[in-house]
Amino acid sequence: MSGSLPTCEQCLGALADVEAIDFFLARELERQFGAPCPERFHLWLALHWALRQGHSCLDLAGIAGRTLWADGGADEPRPGYAFGPLPALRALLAGLDLSPEADRPVVVEGDRAYLRRYWRFETELAMRLRQRMRAVRLQPGQLQRARRLLSELFPNPPGGEQSETDWQAVAVANALVHPFSVLSGGPGTGKTYTVARLLATLQRLADQPMRIALATPTGKAKQRLQESIAGAKTQLAASGVDADLLKAIPEQAHTLHSLLGVRPNSIRLRYDADHPLPVDLLLIDEASMVDLPMMTRVLRALPDTARLVLVGDANQLPSIAVGSVLADLAPLPHPGYSAAAAESIRTLVGYSVPVANEGGQDPVGLLRKSHRFDGEGGVGRLAEAVINLDAAASWRLLSEAGPEGNGQLSLTQEPDLGAWVADVVERYYRPLLKAPDLDAAFACLDAFRLLVPMRRGPWGVEQLNEQIEQRLVRQQSGRHYHGRPIMVTRNHPALNLYNGDVGLVWRNAEGALEAFFREEAGLRRINLGLLPEVEPVYAMTVHKTQGSEFGRVALLLEESSARLLTPELLYTGITRAKKHCMVAAGEAVWKQALASRAQRWSGLRQRLGNEPRALD
């Protein structure tokens, strides 16, 4: 046991952001690995602390020479713990047998330390992805059909009226020859537009109809994907694509939990390596939200012959849980393609694409042009400045907009929170309760959302939702009321309700309150007594909004949330807005958030490498 921190209470009292589970794991590891060593004890603390931050490993170089867990609070300041230089940290582990071959709870590879469970997830995922990364050749007949169909779906050839590269066409052409492909792009770049054309092309090239499954990490993302695919198919039909071909593209999607067959009170899945999914192609949307263990389980259950397409925005926040899989698979900027992949793309759609000097990011198609934020759109310009860490330019855009706004942006510095919430309630949320029917109520709910970084505190989700409900419904009997927007916070597979699903409490024709959730066939009603855990959803954390879009958003940032702010969080919040983004923040907090890019420690990118893949 560590001599400096003999009890859990002393540990928590001395170090900020450390939890009891970190202490007990560190104590158990110290017990297993010999005599007490305070320096190594703090390494074990950091190992599990890193896991809770979403890292799949502890990067020794990342903590070397740094002080962690400090808190300068005026009441009880905590100085934290200062780690030594990298050679000293390596020496702490050098005498232990922590190689992958040893049957120990910790694995060390180079300067990365893992809990063995997550080392296994990472190495298995890398192995299964690498097996799918070899490009395949199209047969001469397939090549001719592909070129003909692509020219119909993307009718602007090089040298025509639009001579710029059509990155949507490039992405589809590239995905045709890669059993595993990633389609990455920001909001408005046409990811669903491109996906629909990819699925149509693959169905046309297949010898028999492909069994296609669509999946997302959350129920809200599933709903949006279904709506987007249905809209894209309507566009394709209008452009003359064969109706039978479009029928073979599904509109029904699954959450990943339901796709794999998560069973209540069981760790066993319906589909796994021994019981593979009955699919020829799996497409996962909002892939940035998929954590390392879930992605590994998906690859286990996917047949070796099935295609996998991941779709998402690599600039968005990574998953709440462990890992940053999409960012590891599609790091930005795109380095270019191998010579072989570039030639394949040129053959299929006629465009010349950048060729990487070494290797190439062949499985990744990057959509680079936003159609939603074309021209002088302030939301798009702000998002671009934020993700490029341009604090001065992004703050200038907000300052020029000011509190009155300029169409797409507005800025309120140091708002009176009570007065501001009162205005939001009257402008956006009282109309929701007065909506004439459920369709109008859901439209009101989609029109505006309040976004914050954290759950607790005066500017946190919990207190904001409580304040809003008190203003809206001063006298209510019971927890629920007519017009209450709710979000499911715990999965309930039996009811097909999952964490993140959003619904409305509404009075039915008989005058009784029920919960209503949107789905492909219309509205589904649930007895309030059967609902799993839910919470009001006037305000949401930015993490919870991934996979969602709203007409307008208000992004509230306060000094107490500064340690949670990252460029990726701001970017994700800003890009939830389709029409307008209002920011409530001071200049110092805003610029501090853009000081450096968020980083998740992982070995996945290095395990996959970027070497060019030979054609089979």
Side-chain angles (χ1 to χ4, degrees):
M1 183 178 294
S2 170
S4 58
L5 296 170
T7 70
C8 181
E9 290 74 15
Q10 286 178 296
C11 179
L12 302 185
L15 304 175
D17 299 327
V18 170
E19 295 187 357
I21 190 172
D22 305 329
F23 172 84
F24 286 111
L25 177 79
R27 188 176 65 176
E28 176 60 22
L29 290 177
E30 190 176 39
R31 185 189 64 79
Q32 291 192 32
F33 290 120
C37 173
E39 293 82 5
R40 195 159 54 223
F41 175 84
H42 285 86
L43 268 185
W44 302 143
L45 274 180
L47 178 59
H48 197 269
W49 168 86
L51 193 69
R52 289 194 297 102
Q53 311 310 306
H55 305 289
S56 59
C57 62
L58 176 66
D59 181 11
L60 298 182
I63 64 169
R66 287 181 55 193
T67 296
L68 295 185
W69 313 310
D71 182 358
D75 295 336
E76 295 183 14
R78 287 177 279 186
Y81 181 81
F83 285 93
L86 184 57
L89 300 184
R90 290 170 174 163
L92 288 172
L93 302 177
L96 309 176
D97 184 7
L98 300 178
S99 65
E101 297 75 24
D103 187 19
R104 310 302 291 271
V106 175
V107 174
V108 174
E109 288 184 320
D111 288 331
R112 297 192 303 271
Y114 295 82
L115 287 177
R116 178 168 289 274
R117 169 182 171 83
Y118 292 93
W119 175 83
R120 284 174 174 161
F121 279 131
E122 188 176 281
T123 53
E124 180 183 351
L125 179 60
M127 178 270 293
R128 291 183 181 276
L129 286 172
R130 288 181 69 89
Q131 289 174 347
R132 298 173 182 273
M133 282 186 171
R134 295 183 66 85
V136 296
R137 289 189 184 278
L138 297 178
Q139 299 302 314
Q142 290 179 314
L143 181 61
Q144 292 179 4
R145 295 200 304 274
R147 294 179 63 179
R148 185 167 55 250
L149 183 55
L150 289 172
S151 67
E152 295 171 3
L153 296 175
F154 301 99
N156 295 305
E161 292 183 6
Q162 296 183 1
S163 57
E164 64 179 311
T165 301
D166 185 339
W167 293 105
Q168 295 173 333
V170 167
V172 171
N174 187 53
L176 291 183
V177 297
H178 286 96
F180 165 67
S181 57
V182 178
L183 184 62
S184 178
T189 53
K191 292 190 290 292
T192 308
Y193 176 98
T194 307
V195 159
R197 283 153 178 76
L198 171 61
L199 297 181
T201 306
L202 288 171
Q203 281 287 21
R204 177 69 62 84
L205 297 181
D207 295 329
Q208 56 187 13
M210 298 182 72
R211 300 168 298 172
I212 298 174
L214 310 177
T216 64
T218 68
K220 181 63 178 177
K222 178 188 78 171
Q223 179 184 319
R224 278 199 57 231
L225 176 61
Q226 290 175 167
E227 294 169 353
S228 298
I229 289 290
K233 287 174 64 174
T234 300
Q235 289 180 339
L236 287 172
S239 66
V241 174
D242 182 70
D244 289 336
L245 182 60
L246 293 180
K247 287 180 182 178
I249 300 175
E251 295 179 21
Q252 180 65 43
H254 311 265
T255 65
L256 288 173
H257 285 85
S258 63
L259 176 78
L260 294 180
V262 174
R263 301 173 180 178
N265 305 316
S266 173
I267 62 172
R268 294 185 62 87
L269 303 174
R270 180 180 180 188
Y271 296 107
D272 54 23
D274 296 323
H275 306 88
L277 288 160
V279 299
D280 301 309
L281 185 154
L282 173 62
L283 182 141
I284 301 176
D285 195 19
E286 296 292 348
S288 64
M289 301 167 64
V290 185
D291 60 55
L292 173 64
M294 176 58 79
M295 192 67 81
T296 306
R297 292 183 178 107
V298 168
L299 266 292
R300 281 177 191 164
L302 195 64
D304 293 339
T305 56
R307 286 178 172 266
L308 175 64
V309 180
L310 303 182
V311 183
D313 184 349
N315 281 322
Q316 279 190 195
L317 285 165
S319 65
I320 294 177
V322 173
S324 52
V325 176
L326 184 65
D328 286 338
L329 291 172
L332 297 172
H334 193 296
Y337 295 93
S338 68
E343 177 60 22
S344 174
I345 291 168
R346 190 196 64 77
T347 299
L348 283 165
V349 288
Y351 293 105
S352 296
V353 296
V355 176
N357 292 329
E358 294 183 10
Q361 206 165 295
D362 288 357
V364 180
L366 178 63
L367 303 183
R368 305 162 192 242
K369 181 177 180 180
S370 175
H371 302 276
R372 180 190 306 166
F373 300 132
D374 271 350
E376 297 302 314
V379 171
R381 292 166 61 200
L382 181 63
E384 183 178 8
V386 163
I387 208 60
N388 289 330
L389 306 188
D390 195 335
S394 60
W395 186 253
R396 185 167 57 250
L397 285 169
L398 290 171
S399 300
E400 291 172 353
E404 299 303 318
N406 63 359
Q408 287 197 354
L409 298 175
S410 58
L411 170 69
T412 301
Q413 297 193 57
E414 300 179 4
D416 180 327
L417 185 59
W420 194 90
V421 169
D423 180 64
V424 163
V425 166
E426 297 306 318
R427 186 179 303 185
Y428 298 109
Y429 289 141
R430 198 168 298 282
L432 168 62
L433 271 62
K434 294 181 177 180
D437 53 47
L438 273 166
D439 287 340
F442 272 111
C444 280
L445 187 59
D446 291 339
F448 176 81
R449 200 61 51 90
L450 192 56
L451 310 184
V452 293
M454 53 191 179
R455 290 194 56 82
R456 296 179 177 84
W459 288 51
V461 162
E462 294 174 356
Q463 289 198 35
L464 283 170
N465 278 324
E466 183 178 346
Q467 289 181 46
I468 292 170
E469 288 200 308
Q470 287 175 352
R471 290 182 180 275
L472 281 173
V473 191
R474 296 184 184 277
Q475 293 181 343
Q476 64 189 64
S477 58
R479 178 186 178 193
H480 294 297
Y481 51 87
H482 179 79
R484 188 188 196 209
I486 55 175
M487 181 170 62
V488 175
T489 60
R490 184 178 295 274
N491 294 335
H492 196 311
L495 287 176
N496 195 29
L497 289 176
Y498 294 90
N499 189 356
D501 287 356
V502 172
L504 281 168
V505 176
W506 204 255
R507 202 172 299 281
N508 62 24
E510 293 75 34
L513 291 176
E514 292 183 297
F516 290 82
F517 293 85
R518 288 178 291 191
E519 57 184 17
E520 184 183 14
L523 292 171
R524 182 161 60 103
R525 61 178 64 193
I526 302 288
N527 186 293
L528 293 182
L530 298 177
L531 278 179
E533 296 177 22
V534 299
E535 64 184 17
V537 71
Y538 299 105
M540 299 174 67
T541 62
V542 175
H543 274 95
K544 282 285 190 179
T545 64
Q546 293 188 89
S548 301
E549 291 178 343
F550 312 99
R552 295 171 176 266
V553 302
L555 185 58
L556 273 66
L557 312 173
E558 197 262 343
E559 188 174 354
S560 64
S561 66
R563 66 182 182 84
L564 301 175
L565 301 182
T566 64
E568 291 78 8
L569 185 141
L570 298 190
Y571 173 88
T572 302
I574 292 163
T575 56
R576 299 312 89 199
K578 293 191 287 187
K579 298 178 181 178
H580 186 92
C581 176
M582 190 280 264
V583 174
E587 181 177 3
V589 170
W590 180 268
K591 290 186 174 180
Q592 180 182 342
L594 300 184
S596 62
R597 202 176 302 281
Q599 182 182 15
R600 286 257 172 118
W601 295 327
S602 161
L604 182 60
R605 189 181 303 183
Q606 292 87 339
R607 294 182 197 282
L608 293 172
N610 278 324
E611 65 270 28
R613 309 291 171 183
L615 291 171
D616 285 340

